[in-house]
Amino acid sequence: MDLSFLSEEKTITVSSEQDLIEKIFFLLDSVNSDFSENLVVFPGKRPAHYLRKAIAEKLKKPFIPPKIFSADEFIDFLFYKIDKSKPLEALDAVTIIYEICKEKDLLKPHFRKFDNFLSFGFKLYNAFEELCIECITPEKLKEVETVIEIPQASGSSLKFLSEIYREFYDKLKELSFSTRSLRYKAVSEIQDFGTLLPFQKIIFAGFFAFTETEKRILKKLSKLSEFLFLLQSHDNYIKLDKVKFYSCPDVHAEVKIVGQIIKNLEFDEKTVVVLPNSETLMPLLRQGISYLTEKDYNISMGYPLSRTPIFGFFMNLFEVINTMENSQVYVPTYLDFMLHPYTKNILFRGSAELNRVIFHEMEKILKDEEILFIELERVEEEISSRISHNLGFPAEEVKQHLSFVHENTIKRFTLLNSVASLAEAVKEVLSFVYEKTTARFHPLFYPYVEAFFNEFEKLSRSLISKYKFDSYFNFFRNFTDSLRFPFHGTPLKGLQILGFLETRNIKFKKVIFLDLNEGVFPDLSEDYILPYTVRKILGLSTYQDREKLIYHYFMNLLKGAEEVHLIYVKDNKTERSRFIEKIIWEAEKKEKRLIKSDIVEPVTYRLRLKTRFPEEIKKTEKIMNVLKNIVFSASAIDDYLRCGIRFYYNYVLKLTKKKRLDADIEKTDIGVIVHEVLKRFFSTKINKFLTPKELDEDIEKIINEVFTEKYGDNLKGVIYLIKRQVVKRVREFLEYHKNIINSQTLKIISTEESFEEELFGSRFICRLDRVDLRDGKPVIVDYKISKNSDDYKIKFERLNINQRESWKAVGSIQIPLYILLYSKKYSINIENIKGYYFFLGRPVVDDSSYLDPLSSYGVEGIKTVLKLIERILKEINDKELPFLSTQDFKNICKYCDYQPLCGVFIVPSKTS
């Protein structure tokens, strides 16, 4: 480190093994425990707490502390003695830069929208501030700016950065604003520090690298007799007997090992967990040290607001606004928002539980109806009425509650007309969530809300507050991405959880350092506005200088500790930090030996890779009572054929997978829509003999009705293409039926007919998609949206009723069962009834779309199925026979909804 601008007699070197704080204590002047005539300046804020505590422990009596500043606080202290300029917020700085660029027509179309410019604007501002604090003039920048690469979207005109740079700071002077760099620069121009700093001793401690303005300030300060500079130094060698290395497969293993280390430690404020990656904080708290209470540790670091639940809540809310069409909300995103933990815990009658019941009932109704777009007013009127009917709540009360939720969340953002209105809406919604939900009981909720509230309060007063945007959603996301929630814990209690910079100049006895991976620590990513070559020409710091700075503080931290734990992730994508490699290399040079790889303790997961076979389920009296009241269906018998345990979960426990409205409309099954269209079409033809003319009537009208109900009036893009496919498929289907009526008469007897009948003492229900009368004989038609007919075939040649293993030859008993039940209900000989599956998903509508599962077996096939049904019912109703799992795990379990319940999956064991 170059300290040539300081005289040697003003510099005191402190080794990293020594306690810098304790050294400062012995240098302070005091009279009767009064240290107020001393000024101490550190790079950061945190050492001040440790210095005050050290004085208290030494004196063991009351005292007046010295004046202690961080570097920025010291500069502000001096600046506001000579200048009253207002401090400029970063967002206001970006706004001024944007307006300068826009006025000079320097922006290409993409960046003319402020929300697109925002991220780039912050980078420009940071670059300007670095140039300013290093005393780089616009003229000097102009000499090199032609080699600066600018994002393509901004255009080549932005290569004239010097012009914007000059005008930006001229504008700040005109508006009486100051930035951090301007304040440093102004202080560096002070000629007489003595009158501004009436202290007997001025100590600067723990600094390593300096900007040009800092060098000028220190050079002038060093001329004062009261001034001292404390420099921490170190060699690069650490004894490896106090260091433990851990390689982990992922972050979860990292935080688990931290938890195990801390369990075996006696920790206090001299024990630190260092997190260079703030995203590791929550896994650490929730998984690593969850056994500790909040009183046991202190957190001090910046945490991205975009990682908080509040950000996720607003993302869900804005997604609702973003996907609205013609005042209708898109139901999948609407439900995602309404079922967000904050929203679904809004109080109803003072209870979050009652609100959850209402919202889940609403979810069920909307999904059962397969509604994709709906007006909020319809939810408040029609859906609320159905909710109240189903749950027994007063209709008006449910309506008012849903309206209350909509008014205080979604509707707050439907009429935004400026950034100020966005900020106001965010604050109002935050207040609503705080006052009307259970979220406030979460320990971190209030600090998060306070941070959001403060930032959006500043936004409402900013220079950009009057701006209008096409998408406030994008602006919110880009703005929030730049914000950090500052954990400002008291450093004098318990385990310290700190960001790396918060550890500077503090001597910890025990250090646990996570995420020691390249790209994370050190983070040496380049700024694309001022790349390496430009930095070298201008004399700015490069990634090499930043690496030296980080390594200096890293080594001071480790060498001052008695016990060190260094933890990193090892997988096929990441490498351990170069600093670990350097520690081992320096040890090898010093000790003149190769350091074995066994100094690293691997943290691994052990897996038992075996399938767990589900246990049989014995039938209790309760189960038998349920079985007595079951109304069977073809699906129930098919499920039992596949797996007895599946039947038990579905029909005894009645556990069903929650229906999902697919948020990706492209994946909507066209067959489902075709099925609905055909049902409606043929219901208008009941008791009519079909003619070619009959098959051409009303179909377009019915298709339009179905699409309007399902998608509203939003018939654009993908939905329009789906409609075209549906029209094509339905017309192909009807054309095929014209061929049928050319060879036989066809009369529609019924559509969607449902009835119950009894077989072998058990009740059965069936729902027939369509029943025709063809040449005077009934034909049952069952639509299948699938294209695969193999799942419905019955291989009679392989079926032996007495050999249970052979039952897997039955794909489905649906059509034979329907024929049996229809025959019984209407007293028709089974020989005169036919049945077919019709596969709507087939690429071509022709004879291959039909499947007769009885094929050439006819009546004998039905009789065989009847015997099989009798055997199955006896098994089901036999208390001594348990429900057994399938033996065909590969095919039956693969897509089964109950797989997690019965345990047919790989089970991981504990972490070692």
Side-chain angles (χ1 to χ4, degrees):
M1 178 175 60
D2 179 19
L3 292 177
S4 58
F5 54 90
L6 294 176
S7 58
E8 288 187 14
E9 65 270 15
K10 297 290 186 180
T11 303
I12 299 174
T13 300
V14 181
S15 76
S16 55
E17 282 86 357
Q18 293 178 284
D19 191 331
L20 181 68
I21 302 296
E22 191 170 275
K23 182 69 175 178
I24 292 170
F25 169 78
F26 289 112
L27 291 172
L28 296 175
D29 293 333
S30 68
V31 178
N32 296 324
S33 302
D34 183 356
F35 293 85
S36 60
E37 295 299 314
N38 297 271
L39 169 65
V40 182
V41 182
F42 293 104
K45 295 180 180 180
R46 196 162 194 78
H49 301 288
Y50 282 83
L51 178 56
R52 283 190 285 267
K53 184 179 182 184
I55 296 171
E57 288 177 344
K58 297 288 185 185
L59 298 183
K60 300 189 184 304
K61 62 181 180 178
F63 65 94
I64 300 173
K67 194 76 172 177
I68 309 174
F69 286 134
S70 68
D72 285 352
E73 289 170 338
F74 173 70
I75 295 301
D76 289 350
F77 170 74
L78 289 174
F79 176 80
Y80 290 114
K81 285 178 178 286
I82 62 173
D83 197 311
K84 301 302 179 184
S85 298
K86 298 169 290 186
L88 183 70
E89 295 288 342
L91 183 62
D92 287 338
V94 173
T95 305
I96 293 170
I97 293 170
Y98 172 74
E99 289 175 343
I100 291 170
C101 294
K102 191 174 180 182
E103 182 182 340
K104 293 185 169 296
D105 196 25
L106 296 176
L107 298 174
K108 290 292 183 179
H110 176 75
F111 279 175
R112 286 175 191 162
K113 292 184 177 180
F114 185 86
D115 46 338
N116 290 337
F117 178 83
L118 186 62
S119 178
F120 178 55
F122 278 120
K123 293 182 183 296
L124 276 174
Y125 174 54
N126 291 336
F128 291 166
E129 281 288 271
E130 186 177 6
L131 292 166
C132 181
I133 205 168
E134 293 288 358
C135 301
I136 305 297
T137 64
E139 289 75 22
K140 190 170 183 181
L141 176 61
K142 191 174 182 67
E143 294 173 8
V144 298
E145 66 187 353
T146 54
V147 300
I148 300 176
E149 293 184 8
I150 300 296
Q152 189 175 1
S154 66
S156 59
S157 54
L158 267 184
K159 283 191 174 179
F160 301 104
L161 282 177
S162 58
E163 184 178 351
I164 308 167
Y165 176 42
R166 180 194 301 278
E167 293 218 12
F168 172 63
Y169 286 105
D170 286 346
K171 189 71 174 177
L172 297 192
K173 185 176 181 181
E174 177 188 326
L175 297 172
S176 295
F177 277 125
S178 70
T179 66
R180 177 177 179 270
S181 292
L182 283 176
R183 293 192 286 275
Y184 269 80
K185 194 171 181 183
V187 170
S188 74
E189 293 167 356
I190 294 174
Q191 296 304 315
D192 182 11
F193 280 102
T195 57
L196 297 175
L197 298 171
F199 297 97
Q200 290 182 4
K201 190 159 285 185
I202 300 171
I203 300 174
F204 272 65
F207 290 83
F208 180 71
F210 306 97
T211 63
E212 180 59 32
T213 53
E214 288 170 332
K215 290 176 183 177
R216 294 178 183 184
I217 292 167
L218 287 171
K219 185 174 182 180
K220 292 177 181 179
L221 285 173
S222 67
K223 295 177 181 178
L224 301 176
S225 60
E226 306 93 333
F227 178 79
L228 281 176
F229 185 88
L230 268 64
L231 168 68
Q232 276 192 299
S233 69
H234 61 80
D235 59 25
N236 293 326
Y237 170 63
I238 296 179
K239 291 182 180 180
L240 294 186
D241 57 1
K242 75 172 183 179
V243 182
K244 291 185 178 179
F245 301 90
Y246 306 82
S247 74
C248 302
D250 53 33
V251 171
H252 301 290
E254 281 193 295
V255 299
K256 286 289 187 183
I257 199 64
V258 171
Q260 292 177 23
I261 292 168
I262 292 171
K263 275 184 179 178
N264 297 320
L265 288 181
E266 290 186 11
F267 60 83
D268 56 19
E269 73 277 3
K270 287 292 187 178
T271 304
V272 65
V273 176
V274 189
L275 300 179
N277 182 4
S278 60
E279 294 182 5
T280 307
L281 176 62
M282 290 306 158
L284 174 68
L285 298 181
R286 300 290 174 260
Q287 302 170 31
I289 57 172
S290 56
Y291 54 86
L292 298 180
T293 69
E294 289 182 38
K295 295 179 180 180
D296 295 324
Y297 55 80
N298 164 72
I299 305 170
S300 182
M301 61 190 302
Y303 187 73
L305 283 182
S306 59
R307 300 283 296 181
T308 65
I310 291 177
F311 179 79
F313 169 79
F314 277 110
M315 286 295 97
N316 281 9
L317 174 52
F318 274 108
E319 195 64 35
V320 177
I321 308 298
N322 227 33
T323 55
M324 288 180 73
E325 289 279 353
N326 302 321
S327 300
Q328 294 181 319
V329 293
Y330 181 46
V331 173
T333 58
Y334 171 73
L335 289 178
D336 284 345
F337 170 69
M338 296 298 274
L339 296 176
H340 184 279
Y342 291 167
T343 326
K344 74 177 181 181
N345 284 299
I346 293 169
L347 302 177
F348 175 72
R349 295 180 180 175
S351 167
E353 185 176 350
L354 291 178
N355 181 75
R356 292 195 297 271
V357 170
I358 289 173
F359 282 13
H360 281 296
E361 184 63 26
M362 175 177 67
E363 176 193 27
K364 183 177 182 300
I365 292 169
L366 291 173
K367 287 185 175 181
D368 285 348
E369 294 290 323
E370 295 186 351
I371 299 170
L372 277 180
F373 285 90
I374 191 170
E375 298 88 352
L376 292 177
E377 289 71 21
R378 185 180 165 196
V379 174
E380 296 164 9
E381 295 286 346
E382 178 187 328
I383 305 300
S384 70
S385 177
R386 293 172 63 180
I387 292 170
S388 64
H389 176 268
N390 294 348
L391 299 179
F393 294 137
E396 188 61 27
E397 192 177 4
V398 176
K399 174 185 173 182
Q400 288 178 1
H401 180 64
L402 289 176
S403 177
F404 175 67
V405 174
H406 292 157
E407 289 290 343
N408 285 282
T409 54
I410 298 170
K411 291 183 180 180
R412 286 270 186 248
F413 292 93
T414 54
L415 298 173
L416 298 179
N417 55 22
S418 67
V419 170
S421 68
L422 167 69
E424 197 60 33
V426 169
K427 290 188 292 180
E428 287 173 351
V429 171
L430 284 172
S431 297
F432 170 75
V433 173
Y434 181 78
E435 294 168 5
K436 302 298 182 182
T437 78
T438 59
R440 65 182 180 274
F441 299 120
H442 189 282
L444 288 175
F445 180 74
Y446 181 78
Y448 289 157
V449 165
E450 188 178 36
F452 267 95
F453 210 96
N454 290 341
E455 293 296 339
F456 280 88
E457 178 62 31
K458 286 190 282 188
L459 181 62
S460 66
R461 300 193 304 266
S462 69
L463 298 176
I464 196 182
S465 61
K466 295 180 181 179
Y467 274 46
K468 302 178 187 294
F469 296 135
D470 294 333
S471 173
Y472 292 93
F473 173 85
N474 287 337
F475 173 77
F476 177 91
R477 182 171 51 201
N478 292 334
F479 173 64
T480 311
D481 271 349
S482 66
L483 304 178
R484 294 291 181 271
F485 167 67
F487 280 98
H488 289 315
T490 304
L492 307 181
K493 62 158 195 174
L495 176 71
Q496 301 296 297
I497 302 173
L498 308 180
F500 173 65
L501 290 179
E502 280 76 17
T503 67
R504 289 176 298 178
N505 312 133
I506 302 171
K507 182 179 172 67
F508 291 100
K509 291 181 180 179
K510 299 165 186 174
V511 174
I512 304 168
F513 208 119
L514 285 83
D515 296 319
L516 274 163
N517 285 92
E518 280 294 286
V520 178
F521 190 82
D523 179 8
L524 301 175
S525 53
E526 278 287 337
D527 185 320
Y528 65 80
I529 291 178
L530 297 175
Y532 181 83
T533 51
V534 173
R535 289 178 171 278
K536 291 293 285 184
I537 295 170
L538 293 175
L540 300 176
S541 65
T542 65
Y543 72 89
Q544 293 151 326
D545 299 311
R546 293 202 304 279
E547 181 178 344
K548 290 176 184 176
L549 175 68
I550 295 168
Y551 186 68
H552 171 78
Y553 287 122
F554 177 69
M555 290 301 292
N556 281 342
L557 175 67
L558 268 53
K559 287 181 73 68
E562 298 170 3
E563 179 179 335
V564 176
H565 302 268
L566 303 181
I567 307 169
Y568 60 92
V569 172
K570 181 181 180 182
D571 58 26
N572 56 4
K573 296 179 181 178
T574 56
E575 298 178 28
R576 65 187 183 187
S577 170
R578 66 189 68 185
F579 290 173
I580 290 181
E581 304 295 351
K582 195 166 184 177
I583 288 171
I584 295 173
W585 167 242
E586 294 293 340
E588 287 179 334
K589 287 197 298 181
K590 184 78 172 181
E591 299 173 20
K592 297 179 180 178
R593 66 183 179 91
L594 289 175
I595 304 297
K596 295 181 180 179
S597 59
D598 58 10
I599 65 167
V600 176
E601 181 179 329
V603 180
T604 60
Y605 292 112
R606 289 198 302 266
L607 299 179
R608 293 195 305 270
L609 300 176
K610 69 174 186 177
T611 300
R612 206 177 88 195
F613 291 92
E615 295 181 5
E616 62 183 34
I617 297 171
K618 294 181 179 179
K619 295 171 184 170
T620 63
E621 286 298 330
K622 285 186 178 180
I623 291 175
M624 293 308 297
N625 288 333
V626 173
L627 292 173
K628 288 176 186 176
N629 295 302
I630 284 182
V631 178
F632 289 94
S633 64
S635 297
I637 300 299
D638 285 347
D639 270 356
Y640 188 83
L641 279 167
R642 295 184 184 100
C643 177
I645 291 179
R646 178 165 161 174
F647 173 88
Y648 167 74
Y649 284 133
N650 199 352
Y651 298 96
V652 178
L653 296 185
K654 300 188 184 303
L655 300 176
T656 56
K657 187 177 182 180
K658 186 182 286 186
K659 192 172 184 179
R660 175 173 173 80
L661 277 177
D662 202 327
D664 187 348
I665 301 175
E666 288 184 278
K667 295 180 180 177
T668 302
D669 197 328
I670 295 172
V672 175
I673 304 173
V674 173
H675 193 297
E676 178 63 22
V677 170
L678 294 178
K679 179 189 81 173
R680 297 190 189 189
F681 176 77
F682 285 113
S683 66
T684 66
K685 313 300 178 188
I686 292 175
N687 292 324
K688 293 182 180 179
F689 284 100
L690 293 186
T691 64
K693 184 179 179 182
E694 289 276 351
L695 291 171
D696 286 332
E697 289 180 355
D698 302 326
I699 195 63
E700 289 281 357
K701 179 182 176 183
I702 291 171
I703 292 173
N704 289 336
E705 286 175 357
V706 171
F707 270 84
T708 300
E709 289 175 17
K710 194 170 183 66
Y711 302 112
D713 296 324
N714 180 39
L715 300 182
K716 298 182 291 186
V718 173
I719 299 175
Y720 174 74
L721 294 176
I722 289 175
K723 183 180 177 184
R724 287 185 60 182
Q725 288 178 280
V726 168
V727 170
K728 179 175 180 292
R729 177 45 51 99
V730 171
R731 292 217 172 276
E732 290 172 349
F733 183 89
L734 296 179
E735 284 298 320
Y736 178 73
H737 277 64
K738 288 180 184 179
N739 295 332
I740 295 176
I741 61 178
N742 285 335
S743 59
Q744 57 185 302
T745 60
L746 194 159
K747 182 180 181 181
I748 305 298
I749 299 176
S750 65
T751 59
E752 299 294 316
E753 179 183 1
S754 293
F755 58 85
E756 285 189 22
E757 279 294 333
E758 190 175 296
L759 281 178
F760 306 113
S762 296
R763 288 181 299 153
F764 279 82
I765 187 170
C766 70
R767 184 187 58 79
L768 309 178
D769 287 340
R770 199 178 91 205
V771 181
D772 299 344
L773 201 64
R774 301 190 186 185
D775 286 344
K777 292 185 178 182
V779 175
I780 297 170
V781 180
D782 190 80
Y783 302 132
K784 296 297 179 190
I785 62 176
S786 169
K787 63 181 179 181
N788 186 6
S789 61
D790 290 342
D791 294 339
Y792 299 90
K793 292 177 179 178
I794 302 176
K795 299 170 182 174
F796 286 101
E797 68 278 6
R798 299 184 187 176
L799 177 61
N800 184 331
I801 303 297
N802 297 315
Q803 293 180 1
R804 208 179 190 286
E805 178 63 23
S806 75
W807 292 6
K808 64 183 179 183
V810 180
S812 173
I813 53 89
Q814 185 174 359
I815 287 297
L817 177 62
Y818 284 179
I819 291 174
L820 285 165
L821 297 175
Y822 196 84
S823 167
K824 189 169 184 182
K825 178 174 176 62
Y826 293 105
S827 301
I828 302 173
N829 194 314
I830 58 175
E831 293 182 1
N832 295 322
I833 305 173
K834 290 283 187 183
Y836 300 98
Y837 300 109
F838 193 97
F839 296 95
L840 299 172
R842 302 284 272 198
V844 178
V845 179
D846 57 19
D847 289 342
S848 67
S849 299
Y850 273 106
L851 171 66
D852 176 4
L854 296 168
S855 164
S856 57
Y857 288 89
V859 174
E860 290 303 315
I862 292 178
K863 289 178 179 179
T864 300
V865 172
L866 185 62
K867 290 178 182 178
L868 178 62
I869 293 171
E870 181 182 19
R871 177 71 176 271
I872 289 171
L873 291 172
K874 282 182 179 179
E875 277 197 8
I876 291 173
N877 291 295
D878 188 339
K879 186 179 178 182
E880 301 305 317
L881 286 178
F883 292 112
L884 302 173
S885 68
T886 181
Q887 296 301 307
D888 187 5
F889 291 99
K890 181 180 178 181
N891 296 310
I892 301 300
C893 299
K894 191 173 182 180
Y895 301 109
C896 179
D897 293 338
Y898 305 107
Q899 187 189 98
L901 292 175
C902 68
V904 185
F905 53 89
I906 295 172
V907 184
S909 67
K910 66 180 181 179
T911 305
S912 63

